[in-house]
């Protein structure tokens, strides 16, 4: 089968003259049109659960910039909510959830079949997007990886060092593993539905993988991602998986083989030349540009973009940032990055 979409070609292992490009958080608060649609929806969660408006914000950066991929507009914390956690967002601070730290609370989570009652609007967004996206644009679905989702469910919010999750892991391993297992099963069911609705690629965000030390990194970042990837490969052969164990450092080496992912996303904590030698050697890589360049722009942005393209030019590569674009970014700098990638 000949693969036309550039993102799918890179994910299949092809080295392209110009890397395809998309950007984490490309639909976000740095764009005035996003802020307008979010205001129309009322708040962030109402936007996530409104298929027409969620599809609209997903399409906005495609219209403005012509990225090679669109990422479904949703959030990694919708799955905990679907499992029964209360979820809300505090303006200027971030997410808040009801916490889960005991066997009783674990037993009260909803059964897997029930998650779709909450998540159906997300699948509806995917369906709209698969109709409305330009034919050359790849649609990426996503979920949080189990460790990262567990850190929020256990602490009830984002934490600098994921202390509460590490504490539960040390104090009550059975409950901790019960939580990560439930998230793993839920993620397989959630991503399967996204794929059935039209997602062509899925990405697992393990934003807090970096705080897992020693064996814990293998046990709680790599293994759950491997389980999810294997289950999806079996149910939906041919759908590529991108794994993003953020902050893995030198442990990025071997992540393709250990997880079975088709692509490994690297943050900005590793050098591109190092990642070419140690990570891209095993398959497609994505990421690495510091998102602060989207704020500062200028010649530094151009030089860094070129340096990353050069470092990854000998293998499959998807251009992206090392983490999400921030609200203070200048939309013109995004265009400068794209022009540099595409125009040299
Ligand atoms: C940890 C995490 C979350 N969500 C996500 C992660 C993993 C990636 C990462 O490390 O950033 C992933 C995510 N969140 C969002 C997407 C949509 C797709 C995309 O454009 O990348 C994706 C893939 C939308 C969002 N998710 C959120 C926003 C901002 C909400 C708003 O409009 O106010 C967006 C566009 C809110 C959110 N959601 C989350 C936090 C901590 C916050 C608050 C921080 C912030 O305000 O930036 C949880």
């Amino acid at each position: 089968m000949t693969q036309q979409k550039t993102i799918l070609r890179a994910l299949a292992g092809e080295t392209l003259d110009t890397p395809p490009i998309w950007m984490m958080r490309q639909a976000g608060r740095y764009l005035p049109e996003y802020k307008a649609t979010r205001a129309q929806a009322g708040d962030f969660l109402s936007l996530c659960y409104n298929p027409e408006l969620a599809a609209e914000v997903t399409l906005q950066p495609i219209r403005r910039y012509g990225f090679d991929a669109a990422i479904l507009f949703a959030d990694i914390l919708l799955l905990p909510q679907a499992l029964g956690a209360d979820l809300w967002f505090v303006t200027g601070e971030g997410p808040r959830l009801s916490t889960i730290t005991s066997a009783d609370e674990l037993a009260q989570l909803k059964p897997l079949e029930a998650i779709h009652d909450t998540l159906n609007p997300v699948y509806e967004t995917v369906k709209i997007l698969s109709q409305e996206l330009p034919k050359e644009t790849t649609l990426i679905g996503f979920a949080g990886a189990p460790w990262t989702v567990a850190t929020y469910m256990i602490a009830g919010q984002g934490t600098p060092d994921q202390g509460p999750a590490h504490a539960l892991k040390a104090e009550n391993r059975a409950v901790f593993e019960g939580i990560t297992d439930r998230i793993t099963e839920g993620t397989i069911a959630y991503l399967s539905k996204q794929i059935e609705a039209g997602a062509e690629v899925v990405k697992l965000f393990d934003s807090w993988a970096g705080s897992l030390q020693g064996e814990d990194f293998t046990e709680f970042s790599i293994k759950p991602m491997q389980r999810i990837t294997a289950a999806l490969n079996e149910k939906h052969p041919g759908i590529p998986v991108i794994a993003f164990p953020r902050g893995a450092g030198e442990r990025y080496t071997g992540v393709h083989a250990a997880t079975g992912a088709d692509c490994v996303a690297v943050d900005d904590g590793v050098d591109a030349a190092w990642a070419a030698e140690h990570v891209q050697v095993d398959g497609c890589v994505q990421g690495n540009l510091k998102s602060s360049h989207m704020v500062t722009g200028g010649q530094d942005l151009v030089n860094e973009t070129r340096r990353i393209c050069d470092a990854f030019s000998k293998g499959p590569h998807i251009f992206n940032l090392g983490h999400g674009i921030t609200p203070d970014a200048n939309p013109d700098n995004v265009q400068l990055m794209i022009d540099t990638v595409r125009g040299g």
Side-chain angles (χ1 to χ4, degrees), residues 36-50:
T37 310
R38 186 181 180 283
Q40 193 189 336
D43 58 44
F44 173 65
L45 283 176
S46 308
L47 179 54
C48 291
Y49 288 119
N50 181 320

Side-chain angles (χ1 to χ4, degrees), residues 5 20 120 123 142 200 226 234 246 248 255 268 326 335 344:
K5 296 188 184 189
N120 267 324
Y123 314 140
F142 74 93
E200 301 171 277
Q226 190 277 333
E234 196 180 314
R246 189 168 73 94
V255 169
D268 58 31
T326 50
Q335 190 63 57

Side-chain angles (χ1 to χ4, degrees), residues 226-295:
Q226 190 277 333
R227 256 176 78 190
I228 294 164
T229 304
L232 293 176
N233 282 344
E234 196 180 314
K235 279 178 137 169
H236 306 283
I239 298 292
V241 176
I242 305 172
F244 182 33
R246 189 168 73 94
E250 64 190 23
R251 297 170 301 180
Y252 270 118
T253 306
V255 169
H256 284 92
T259 58
D262 302 86
C263 176
V264 174
V266 293
D267 58 80
D268 58 31
V270 293
D271 181 67
W274 177 88
E277 194 181 330
H278 293 90
V279 190
Q280 194 187 28
V281 62
D282 294 329
C284 187
V285 288
Q286 171 187 278
N288 198 234
L289 183 69
K290 258 193 206 319
S291 31
S292 58
H293 287 295
M294 298 301 104
V295 181

Side-chain angles (χ1 to χ4, degrees), residues 84-99:
D86 295 329
L87 171 68
W88 67 104
F89 279 80
V90 180
T91 312
E93 290 186 30
R96 295 289 182 275
L97 298 89
S98 50
T99 59

